[in-house]
Each structure stands twice: as structure tokens, then as C-alpha cells.
Amino acid sequence: MVKIKEENGQFIVYVSGAIAASFPTKTEAETFAAKQTQYPTQEETLITDNQEDVPNGLRD
């Protein structure tokens, strides 16, 4: 959970109750908070069926 609080002229971003970062503007704090709540994108990997490392080309 992400929260933003203004304290002493700084915008403090809390992630799971702990201070994650502080910014001079609310816009910067909101941008940081949005990035903290996004899941990383998964890269797709193509798995190929190759024949290397198989003696005599035979498989079990």
C-alpha cells in the first residue's frame, strides 16, 4: 500500500508503512508512487526444441 503525506514542505511516499522516498513536489511523489504500484512487464522467451547435447540425436 502506498501513501503520500506532506510533512514540513516535503511530500513523503510511504510504501507498506515505511518511508520510501521524499520529493519537493506532489507531482513527483505521485509519479514515484505510481511506479511502485505497477507490476514489471514480463519478457517473453521463445523456447526452441534443439538437438544439441543429445548423444546420437536420440531422445528418451
Side-chain angles (χ1 to χ4, degrees):
M1 181 173 190
V2 178
K3 291 184 181 181
I4 300 173
K5 292 184 181 179
E6 183 179 2
E7 299 176 6
N8 301 322
Q10 290 285 312
F11 292 89
I12 311 298
V13 181
Y14 292 87
V15 178
S16 299
I19 295 175
S22 66
F23 298 93
T25 66
K26 187 174 184 178
T27 302
E28 290 175 301
E30 289 172 340
T31 301
F32 177 81
K35 288 180 182 177
Q36 295 302 305
T37 58
Q38 293 176 347
Y39 291 102
T41 56
Q42 298 277 335
E43 288 188 28
E44 291 186 20
T45 304
L46 180 62
I47 299 173
T48 58
D49 186 18
N50 59 27
Q51 297 291 325
E52 59 189 31
D53 297 327
V54 180
N56 299 328
L58 301 175
R59 294 187 178 263
D60 292 332

